């Protein structure tokens, strides 16, 4: 499932994945190093994991959300992607540049 750019501004780019389920493998997006990342999650889901990678091949959880909301991510990997663990969610990721 591809993340789509929904906003591009002077200091930020926003990506959204709509209707992600636990059977979907969301496409990763590339981040600039050392930039803040903010994730917002909406939908009916058990948990949503934001995964990070330095090479786009090996993935680790960098945060897990178990309810709707917004969270700033302190870890700044080169690539990020969402993973839904039960249910369906819309995930928005804003990356400062």
């Amino acid at each position: 499932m591809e993340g789509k750019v929904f906003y591009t501004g002077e200091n930020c780019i926003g990506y959204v994945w709509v209707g992600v389920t636990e059977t979907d493998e969301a496409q990763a997006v590339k981040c600039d190093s050392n930039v803040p990342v903010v994730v917002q999650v909406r939908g009916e889901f058990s948990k949503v994991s934001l995964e990070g990678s330095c090479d786009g091949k090996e993935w680790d959880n960098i945060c897990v959300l178990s309810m709707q909301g917004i969270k700033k991510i302190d870890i700044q990997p080169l690539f990020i992607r969402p993973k839904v663990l039960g249910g369906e969610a819309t995930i928005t990721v804003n990356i400062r540049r």
Side-chain angles (χ1 to χ4, degrees):
M1 173 166 285
E2 186 177 350
K4 300 196 185 305
V5 174
F6 76 93
Y7 173 80
T8 302
E10 185 177 321
N11 298 321
C12 179
I13 187 164
Y15 296 93
V16 64
W17 294 262
V18 177
V20 182
T21 68
E22 61 188 304
T23 59
D24 294 323
E25 184 172 314
Q27 182 180 7
V29 294
K30 189 173 180 182
C31 306
D32 292 331
S33 59
N34 298 319
V35 295
V37 174
V38 176
V39 62
Q40 180 176 20
V41 179
R42 294 280 178 241
E44 299 291 326
F45 57 90
S46 298
K47 291 182 183 175
V48 171
S49 170
L50 193 63
E51 299 179 324
S53 175
C54 292
D55 61 8
K57 297 176 186 173
E58 299 292 324
W59 297 92
D60 291 307
N61 291 333
I62 55 176
C63 97
V64 176
L65 294 117
S66 58
M67 58 186 211
Q68 297 186 66
I70 298 173
K71 182 170 177 96
K72 180 181 175 196
I73 309 301
D74 294 324
I75 299 170
Q76 292 132 0
L78 188 55
F79 298 95
I80 57 170
R81 70 180 184 189
K83 182 173 183 133
V84 175
L85 309 170
E88 183 176 315
T90 294
I91 301 102
T92 303
V93 174
N94 290 307
I95 303 168
R96 299 259 182 227
R97 42 179 168 166

